[in-house]
Amino acid sequence: MRPLILIAATALLAACEGGFTPPQDGEEQTWRYTAYSTSGSAVVSGTFQVRAEGRDFTGSWATVLLEPNAEVGPQVGTGELRGSWDIEGQSIHFDMNPGWADNNVFLVGTPEGDGLRGTWSHSTLLGHRTGGGFVARRTD
């Protein structure tokens, strides 16, 4: 019975890991990004160009609004991003508007398959404005 449990646990762990590989130091990756509203409809789509610098990331994004009048904050058009990979927590944090003191979009994602799944939030000095889910998948 124990060998069967060990095999099942190993298979489950491998399925959860699913091949996600964060960029290694100096490596550049392109990711396809889709943001969803709280109701689950796609509201923003585009790409991230990400370069790793140790556990930190720098890069740029280019996106389009998919749902007219959707409240998504400043994540439409182009911009730069910064982030970090938390190896212990197995999560990635991105700031789509680094250097801004107000009106920011933040992403927090965890590995899923060959990409990331997580949440985005639009925050201002007055607090949380809106948010939803997102997925990001490597394209290269």
Side-chain angles (χ1 to χ4, degrees):
M1 181 64 110
R2 284 186 185 198
L4 184 58
I5 293 172
L6 182 59
I7 291 169
T10 302
L12 180 61
L13 181 61
C16 290
E17 290 177 2
F20 174 78
T21 306
Q24 302 302 307
D25 192 29
E27 180 184 5
E28 294 184 16
Q29 293 182 351
T30 302
W31 294 358
R32 183 91 180 130
Y33 168 74
T34 305
Y36 298 89
S37 68
T38 54
S39 66
S41 63
V43 290
V44 174
S45 180
T47 58
F48 290 164
Q49 302 291 325
V50 178
R51 179 177 173 81
E53 298 169 0
R55 288 186 182 184
D56 296 325
F57 298 101
T58 59
S60 61
W61 52 268
T63 63
V64 295
L65 186 64
L66 299 175
E67 190 175 296
N69 303 317
E71 188 177 341
V72 297
Q75 64 171 313
V76 176
T78 60
E80 69 176 89
L81 62 84
R82 290 201 183 114
S84 62
W85 169 241
D86 176 9
I87 293 172
E88 292 81 17
Q90 291 292 296
S91 62
I92 288 183
H93 305 264
F94 285 118
D95 180 352
M96 292 183 71
N97 319 98
W100 293 20
D102 184 27
N103 205 26
N104 299 90
V105 174
F106 300 105
L107 309 176
V108 177
T110 56
E112 179 182 272
D114 62 348
L116 300 169
R117 179 175 297 275
T119 58
W120 65 269
S121 63
H122 171 219
S123 299
T124 69
L125 290 176
L126 299 177
H128 177 78
R129 294 280 313 251
T130 188
F134 81 88
V135 294
R137 301 266 184 252
R138 281 187 61 175
T139 63
D140 55 357

